[in-house]
Structures are given as C-alpha cells and as structure tokens.
Amino acid sequence: MASHALYRALKASKAAFGAWITLPGTHNARIVVQSSPHLSWVMIDCEHGLTSLNVGSAETIQAIAGMGSSDISPLVRIPATGTCSSTSWMIKSALDAGARGVLVPMVSNPEKVKEIVSDCRFPPAGRRGFGNPITHLAWNVSVENYLESANESITIMVQIENKEGVENVEDIASVDGLDVLFIGPYDLSLNLGYPPPFQDVHPEVEKVIQTILEVAHRKGKKCGIYCSSGEQAFRRAQQGFDMINVTSDSGAMSEAIASNLKAAVGQNV
C-alpha cells in the first residue's frame, strides 16, 4: 500500500509536526527534510512561496522521494483559492507530481469541498484522471499499487481562513472524504477584522480557532494550524491540534543567522 508519515500519524491520532517550504530548489527541500527526526511533513507552498506548481513542485517532490530513506510527506498548497473556479487542474498537477496531499486555501463552502474531494480521487469515487508516467515513482511503488491505494492514502486538506468559511464550518467539516481543516491564522485574522498575529492571535480570533478545532473533531475530521515557532506549536499540540506547522525554511534561516550574529557580537552575554 502507498503510505506516508502524515497519513500514519493522523490515523494513529498523533500530532504531526511539519515545516513550510517557501523557497525554490531541490537542495533547499532536501536540507529541510533532513533537519529533524521529529518532522512528519513539508508543505511546498505554491500559493505564496516561490516554487512553481508545474515543474517546480514535481522536481521538489522527486528530490525528496529520491532520498530513499526519507519517509516525510511532501504536500502541496496550490496557488488558486477556494473562491476560484480553477482549482481542479491545479489539484491534478500537484497529485500527478507525487504530492501525498493537497491543501486548498480560502475554502468557504461545502460545495467547493465536495469538488476538491472528487478532484483528488480516481473513479468511481471521484473524477481524477490517470496517465502521468512519474507519479508512482515519486511514491516508490508500482503503478498498480498506486492506483489501488491513492484514494485512501492522499490527504485532502482545506484552509478555513475567511468569514464565510467560519460561518459554514459545520457543513464543511461534514463533507465525506475531507481529512483536515487547516487554519491559516494570518488571513483568518485579517478577514475577521483583526491584526495579523505576528505574536499571539487576538482573543476573539482565538475563540474562532477553538471553535473550528472543536467542530472538526466532533465531525470526525483532523484539524491543522500554521505556527511560526516551536513554542507556538507546542501549545497547539497541547490543545489537541493534529497537524501543526512549526516553522518555514526562510523563517528558520533568517532566525538562525540573526541569532548566531547576535552571539558573535556579544549581545547574548
């Protein structure tokens, strides 16, 4: 069966920690993947990051898969949001590239979720087409094995990050086939009329976040959230979040350089 680390962690109800890949390049992705044994997944960000959906995401996924021993799940956030009608071909491209899951931003109604689920699954469960010659290679399995297990193994995620999505969260979480409701605190805060949470989120936004978490679990779904530090991620894990981003490649690089330079000039003394 085609499987991956995030899939197994979610099935076992274990917190799965990940990192956001915002910078392009196969070497960058491989460095991130090798950074920690606690890493379960990486999100190749084709929405706001610098990796292109076509070619770029495929090369990144193949670079990760080519490491052999790595079992980390390469995921793709597609560029088009749930408010667009053009998500279908983007989902197909991401999955054909070998992504273990797709994240669709700004999803605000159950009808869109049903469309996303259908785009992620081969018939008769969905409408995904078959024919890419490299997809099974990125999973390190045979064509037959991939076709038999892809519908079960691919992780389907939608982002709840606007007012309409919050209002419809009960219906969104009720859609069969959806795996994860993923919270984007920055856009969620802005769309609810609050400042972006460069430190902690506004108390009113926090109430919404906790509501989404509760609804997701009550409906039998997993709930994910974007954090920008290990401290934030630890708190979210304690709250019961299932899928938690810890840092990004660009953020971690900047923080590490700044911290070491601060020590070099004696400011840590």
Side-chain angles (χ1 to χ4, degrees):
M1 175 180 176
S3 184
H4 54 99
L6 176 61
Y7 173 85
R8 291 192 296 274
L10 295 180
K11 287 293 183 183
S13 296
K14 295 181 179 178
F17 295 104
W20 226 252
I21 294 183
T22 66
L23 302 174
T26 57
H27 296 297
N28 173 68
R30 288 167 73 110
I31 289 170
V32 172
V33 164
Q34 291 178 309
S35 64
S36 171
H38 304 296
L39 193 66
S40 295
W41 55 273
V42 291
M43 185 67 70
I44 303 165
D45 190 359
C46 297
E47 184 193 17
H48 295 305
L50 299 178
T51 301
S52 63
L53 178 62
N54 287 323
V55 183
S57 65
E59 289 178 344
T60 302
I61 292 167
Q62 289 286 350
I64 294 171
M67 295 173 69
S69 61
S70 172
D71 191 34
I72 290 172
S73 305
L75 314 170
V76 171
R77 177 162 74 166
I78 66 170
T81 70
T83 60
C84 303
S85 60
S86 58
T87 56
S88 183
W89 73 268
M90 293 189 182
I91 290 171
K92 178 175 69 175
S93 293
L95 294 180
D96 277 359
R100 273 50 169 179
V102 291
L103 177 62
V104 181
M106 292 281 185
V107 173
S108 56
N109 61 72
E111 291 74 26
K112 187 64 181 181
V113 180
K114 292 175 184 177
E115 176 187 310
I116 291 165
V117 171
S118 182
D119 286 335
C120 289
R121 292 188 165 167
F122 292 118
R127 61 183 185 183
R128 181 185 174 193
F130 170 73
N132 191 286
I134 69 162
T135 308
H136 67 288
L137 299 176
W139 284 71
N140 295 311
V141 297
S142 68
V143 174
E144 293 80 7
N145 188 280
Y146 181 74
L147 284 172
E148 289 171 358
S149 57
N151 284 359
E152 167 68 19
S153 298
I154 287 168
T155 303
I156 304 172
M157 303 161 282
V158 300
Q159 279 192 270
I160 308 298
E161 48 186 350
N162 59 26
K163 187 176 181 180
E164 186 181 358
V166 172
E167 292 171 346
N168 293 327
V169 68
E170 292 268 354
D171 292 333
I172 288 172
S174 298
V175 175
D176 289 338
L178 176 65
D179 295 305
V180 180
L181 280 72
F182 199 96
I183 300 170
Y186 288 83
D187 276 325
L188 180 62
S189 297
L190 290 170
N191 282 312
L192 294 179
Y194 297 97
F198 293 115
Q199 297 300 323
D200 293 323
V201 298
H202 190 280
E204 292 302 315
V205 179
E206 183 61 31
K207 292 179 184 178
V208 174
I209 288 173
Q210 294 302 320
T211 296
I212 297 170
L213 173 64
E214 185 276 325
V215 170
H217 285 172
R218 176 159 47 82
K219 295 291 186 177
K221 303 300 192 292
K222 302 300 184 180
C223 195
I225 192 165
Y226 183 93
C227 296
S228 55
S229 72
E231 291 76 15
Q232 288 180 2
F234 177 80
R235 291 197 299 271
R236 294 306 188 186
Q238 296 300 302
Q239 293 171 358
F241 281 88
D242 308 285
M243 179 182 177
I244 307 160
N245 184 71
V246 179
T247 188
S248 68
D249 51 2
S250 54
M253 183 190 304
S254 178
E255 289 168 8
I257 292 172
S259 177
N260 281 290
L261 283 169
K262 187 177 180 180
V265 299
Q267 290 185 5
N268 286 348
V269 178

